[in-house]
Amino acid sequence: MNKKTTTHTTIDINFDKEHIWHPYTSMTNPLPCYPVKSAEGVYIELEDGTKLIDGMSSWWSVIHGYNNEHINEAISSQLKKMSHVMFGGLTHEPAVNLAKHLVELTPDGLNKVFLADSGSVSIEVALKMAIQYQLGKGHIGRNRFIALKHGYHGDTFGAMAVCDPLNSMHSLYSGMMPQNYFIDSPTSKPTDSFQHNELAELADVLECRSDTVAALIIEPIVQGAGGMRFYHPDYLSGAKKLCEKYGVLLIADEIATGFGRTGKMFACEHANITPDILCVGKAITGGYMTLAAAICTDEVAITLSNSRAGVLMHGPTFMGNPLACAAANASMELLKAGTWENQVKNINRILNQELNSANQLERVTEARVFGAIGVIEMKEAVDVASIQKQFVDKGIWVRPFGKLIYVMPPYIISEIELTELLQKMLLVVKSL
Ligand SMILES: *Cc1c(COP(=O)(O)O)cnc(C)c1O
């Protein structure tokens, strides 16, 4: 192992390469990483001074832009009071205020808030809630889940077990993977007319297996990391009705879609449904630090609490971290100020205007837009390292995976910045 530290830059990129795992990479053949010095607004500044327009919002999270004054202030002022105290037996204003915001902003009926430390953990909590709810109902064998192909719900074992089995390579962990039911994901697009037979498979699984099923888990309207697919709201409302008929809970995973990204505060609103459990994360702190929540109905919370265990069996060390809650409260205040709705509308308009032309390209399967999300799906998987370098050379930050080149920029991006981002992205796509 090469332990020499070379110092061409202040960030020791060689040490990074030798010693640090990055997301989904190899330690022997890692993808290149670009050293970042700072970030401001929609710009990420690299060590060498290169400024990149950010198309990713750091994986859906930085909705108000980097170095946001209001969130900065909320964190510094909380820092002077306390950074953290345990949540067992203690509580504090930042957590109470955050729960108030969440109960108010989420669909009616979601009233009981569990604060978790990451999206995946909130999914684990939601799965446990559903199983414990069924126990409270006296249903002993209802401990499996129905999930959609192309779904993504996180990387911990419980979450992974409801992700698309191929994408998340269930085969690597055989023996450790709970056996869940996977159904085809809907294909009617939000703008198509809905094909009712798309609900037939779900109806079938429920009819045959509901005595073994605790919940259906689903990403409302937008399937994110499992394929960036957009589907018809009638599928979601139909699925909700079917779940009710069979006593199966609906868990809505809005970790990616929550807080305005799809044009509604929550994507469930496109279908006018209240799920039994809602998971939020990513943008909740405006991308400042890790925090998530699983929010459930009174019915779920009360039934669970009257069950055999009598308590929800989860309690992370950093549950309700005051700094993270303070950041989230500041982000909620910015959302409540209300400009996000027009910002998302404008982003949507410009995405439609700029990305449509990609549909004519030979190597492109489809360009599609929903809310403030723009996707170009290629026919073949792209070479991430090489395409990433071309993007960086042009001054934009876009990180594709597989066949998908996509953007979900910070809401504060200006028309000029977004147009520049998309035109440069298209130049690279056209050159492929
Ligand atoms: C990112 C994501 C998760 C996992 O959240 P982490 O904070 O990365 O654990 C779960 N579900 C969806 C839909 C996501 O986009």
Side-chain angles (χ1 to χ4, degrees):
M1 197 188 301
N2 170 21
K3 289 223 173 186
K4 264 187 306 182
T5 43
T6 39
T7 47
H8 298 298
T9 63
T10 32
I11 297 172
D12 193 340
I13 202 85
N14 289 328
F15 187 89
D16 183 299
K17 197 172 166 186
E18 283 289 330
H19 296 281
I20 308 183
W21 296 103
H22 282 265
Y24 311 106
T25 59
S26 148
M27 224 48 268
T28 50
N29 186 23
L31 288 166
C33 277
Y34 296 86
V36 176
K37 188 160 65 182
S38 64
E40 170 81 37
V42 295
Y43 289 93
I44 295 174
E45 185 174 353
L46 300 183
E47 183 90 65
D48 66 5
T50 308
K51 283 190 178 172
L52 309 176
I53 303 178
D54 178 28
M56 307 304 293
S57 299
S58 281
W59 279 340
W60 311 84
S61 64
V62 184
I63 53 177
H64 310 295
Y66 299 91
N67 207 1
N68 178 284
E69 220 170 278
H70 184 61
I71 308 180
N72 285 358
E73 243 160 56
I75 295 173
S76 352
S77 111
Q78 182 56 43
L79 186 60
K80 289 173 199 137
K81 296 178 196 154
M82 64 179 160
S83 304
H84 186 63
V85 288
M86 63 187 280
F87 213 47
L90 298 173
T91 193
H92 45 77
E93 197 181 9
V96 174
N97 286 346
L98 176 56
K100 281 185 185 168
H101 283 305
L102 291 175
V103 167
E104 186 190 329
L105 290 175
T106 54
D108 281 348
L110 293 165
N111 292 329
K112 305 285 197 263
V113 180
F114 187 101
L115 297 172
D117 28 17
S118 76
S120 300
V121 172
S122 76
I123 295 291
E124 301 289 335
V125 169
L127 301 178
K128 283 186 179 181
M129 277 178 178
I131 290 175
Q132 286 191 240
Y133 164 84
Q134 297 293 358
L135 287 175
K137 283 276 178 196
H139 300 140
I140 305 297
R142 285 196 176 225
N143 51 14
R144 294 192 185 195
F145 296 91
I146 303 175
L148 265 55
K149 291 177 189 163
H150 302 290
Y152 178 76
H153 300 289
D155 293 343
T156 52
F157 268 97
M160 189 170 59
V162 287
C163 288
D164 183 283
L166 291 177
N167 284 343
S168 61
M169 297 205 219
H170 284 192
S171 58
L172 296 177
Y173 314 100
S174 55
M176 275 296 284
M177 297 306 285
Q179 295 305 297
N180 293 316
Y181 303 108
F182 291 93
I183 57 176
D184 285 337
S185 44
T187 50
S188 298
K189 295 178 186 166
T191 46
D192 292 350
S193 56
F194 180 61
Q195 304 297 311
H196 266 277
N197 59 3
E198 288 181 15
L199 282 161
E201 193 183 3
L202 176 61
D204 221 43
V205 176
L206 285 168
E207 177 64 33
C208 303
R209 305 281 183 199
S210 63
D211 59 334
T212 64
V213 175
L216 164 71
I217 180 165
I218 190 166
E219 294 157 276
I221 318 299
V222 176
Q223 292 189 293
M228 302 297 290
R229 300 159 58 99
F230 312 138
Y231 67 85
H232 201 286
D234 286 1
Y235 182 87
L236 187 59
S237 48
K240 173 71 180 134
K241 280 204 193 87
L242 282 168
C243 286
E244 276 167 14
K245 180 174 167 194
Y246 290 95
V248 162
L249 296 184
L250 181 82
I251 301 171
D253 177 352
E254 295 234 23
I255 293 167
T257 50
F259 306 109
R261 179 58 65 183
T262 69
K264 304 272 187 192
M265 185 62 83
F266 292 96
C268 281
E269 294 169 30
H270 292 284
N272 280 317
I273 62 145
T274 296
D276 301 285
I277 305 171
L278 175 75
C279 290
V280 295
K282 290 202 162 91
I284 188 172
T285 62
Y288 266 66
M289 45 188 100
T290 182
L291 184 69
I295 310 157
C296 71
T297 60
D298 293 335
E299 153 81 1
V300 170
I302 290 163
T303 308
L304 181 160
S305 303
N306 292 337
S307 72
R308 183 157 50 99
V311 294
L312 177 60
M313 284 306 291
H314 215 94
T317 306
F318 285 96
M319 187 167 184
N321 175 256
L323 286 177
C325 290
N329 286 330
S331 177
M332 299 297 123
E333 284 155 18
L334 292 171
L335 285 171
K336 281 184 178 170
T339 43
W340 67 270
E341 211 163 351
N342 272 328
Q343 291 169 329
V344 168
K345 257 189 213 137
N346 278 328
I347 294 172
N348 177 272
R349 176 178 53 81
I350 301 160
L351 285 170
N352 272 310
Q353 183 181 301
E354 297 296 327
L355 292 188
N356 245 335
S357 68
N359 278 310
Q360 267 97 61
L361 300 175
E362 199 194 316
R363 290 175 194 276
V364 169
T365 305
E366 183 190 50
R368 50 184 181 261
V369 172
F370 192 73
I373 311 164
V375 182
I376 297 177
E377 182 166 339
M378 309 299 290
K379 288 181 179 146
E380 310 280 338
V382 298
D383 175 343
V384 176
S386 123
I387 196 170
Q388 186 101 81
K389 182 170 183 312
Q390 295 179 64
F391 288 144
V392 169
D393 287 346
K394 289 206 159 31
I396 61 174
W397 182 246
V398 179
R399 184 155 181 93
F401 69 84
K403 298 174 183 172
L404 301 164
I405 301 168
Y406 63 104
V407 289
M408 55 281 190
Y411 301 166
I412 57 148
I413 197 166
S414 71
E415 174 151 8
I416 291 171
E417 290 159 342
L418 181 56
T419 309
E420 183 181 341
L421 169 72
L422 297 173
Q423 288 180 352
K424 288 179 166 173
M425 181 171 100
L426 276 174
L427 273 181
V428 173
V429 172
K430 281 175 185 157
S431 75
L432 289 177

